[in-house]
Amino acid sequence: YKEEVFQIDKELINYFYLNRGYMNIQVEEPHVFLSPDKSRIYIDISLKEGDQFFADLIDISGDILYAEKDMLAQIQMKTGDVLSYEVIQGDIRRISSLYLDDGYAYVNVIPRTKMDNENKRVGITYEIQKGKRVTIERINFVGNDSTREKILRRQMEIDEQELYSAKKIGSSRFNLQRLSFFQEVKITQKEGSTDDKMILDVELEEKSTGT
């Protein structure tokens, strides 16, 4: 028996219940005891499920830059659905992607909840904080000992002085990997000379010559 293993199990149990509307789930500390012949360990884990909750009104607020119907279309959680942490996280990613592909590299989407314990309902407002629009200040290539940089730049769908786009960065990585010159392609992001500029480091691990 290991305490760290139980902590992982506890997180998994919480995750299971939070995805099924049990917002007040409590996982108590385990009771551990030996079998009479001392050859086995028994573990009892007690749960307090609490009540199951459902989604109430769903809304968006904050920096709304696009048509409201397009924003709401990104939200899979609907009024009356069983509340699910996993679905809410997916909604956050989908809303964020609209901004991440339009230069807002540091967009933050916060799900503000309002619980109605009597009716077992939870209203959710996705608050959007867009942050500053970011441009790519510089793209650095590291590890291309045998491959010329101009070949690499032709595969980049995003260029220096262009607005940040998560989709274009992902496509650029795919294009470089598709060349079959590299064992691994990794693109890391870091802040540029100002907080509205970003530097991309494209780290490459070339395959062995002749492969």
Side-chain angles (χ1 to χ4, degrees):
Y1 172 77
K2 292 183 178 180
E3 174 64 24
E4 58 266 29
V5 174
F6 169 69
Q7 291 304 322
I8 295 172
D9 288 342
K10 185 176 180 180
E11 289 177 12
L12 291 172
I13 293 169
N14 272 309
Y15 189 72
F16 178 86
Y17 276 91
L18 287 172
N19 288 332
R20 288 159 177 79
Y22 295 94
M23 308 310 293
N24 297 320
I25 175 68
Q26 295 180 32
V27 183
E28 299 183 351
E29 291 301 311
H31 297 287
V32 182
F33 53 92
L34 288 170
S35 62
D37 62 2
K38 298 183 180 180
S39 63
R40 298 170 184 268
I41 291 178
Y42 294 92
I43 303 172
D44 284 347
I45 301 175
S46 297
L47 307 176
K48 292 182 180 178
E49 291 182 343
D51 295 313
Q52 189 179 38
F53 282 78
F54 298 84
D56 200 358
L57 297 177
I58 310 291
D59 202 2
I60 53 175
S61 68
D63 300 319
I64 301 174
L65 303 184
Y66 312 102
E68 189 168 345
K69 65 180 181 63
D70 294 334
M71 300 285 293
L72 292 173
Q74 307 303 314
I75 301 174
Q76 287 191 357
M77 182 69 70
K78 306 299 180 187
T79 299
D81 288 354
V82 172
L83 210 64
S84 168
Y85 174 83
E86 188 173 30
V87 174
I88 291 172
Q89 292 303 306
D91 290 342
I92 291 172
R93 288 193 296 271
R94 281 183 289 275
I95 294 170
S96 297
S97 68
L98 295 175
Y99 290 75
L100 289 169
D101 290 334
D102 199 17
Y104 298 97
Y106 304 117
V107 62
N108 191 24
V109 180
I110 305 168
R112 304 291 188 189
T113 57
K114 184 177 181 181
M115 296 187 71
D116 179 351
N117 288 297
E118 183 178 349
N119 296 303
K120 309 301 180 277
R121 296 273 174 166
V122 178
I124 306 171
T125 299
Y126 294 93
E127 181 185 316
I128 303 163
Q129 300 171 354
K130 63 182 177 61
K132 290 185 177 181
R133 227 172 184 187
V134 175
T135 56
I136 304 301
E137 182 175 14
R138 192 167 68 254
I139 301 175
N140 300 321
F141 294 92
V142 182
N144 54 312
D145 299 327
S146 304
T147 311
R148 293 183 179 180
E149 188 171 307
K150 66 178 183 180
I151 294 174
L152 304 177
R153 289 194 179 273
R154 282 203 296 265
Q155 304 304 316
M156 299 296 292
E157 295 195 11
I158 194 165
D159 205 352
E160 294 171 349
Q161 311 312 315
E162 190 177 333
L163 279 175
Y164 175 93
S165 168
K167 184 177 181 179
K168 287 184 178 181
I169 291 172
S171 297
S172 298
R173 182 188 176 281
F174 175 79
N175 292 345
L176 290 167
Q177 195 77 62
R178 190 175 54 182
L179 287 175
S180 299
F181 295 165
F182 308 107
Q183 193 74 32
E184 186 177 2
V185 178
K186 183 180 177 183
I187 301 179
T188 57
Q189 307 171 8
K190 61 185 181 184
E191 189 174 309
S193 57
T194 59
D195 61 1
D196 62 348
K197 296 182 186 298
M198 179 178 287
I199 296 171
L200 299 180
D201 287 334
V202 183
E203 302 173 44
L204 307 160
E205 182 183 339
E206 293 184 328
K207 291 182 178 179
S208 300
T209 304
T211 300

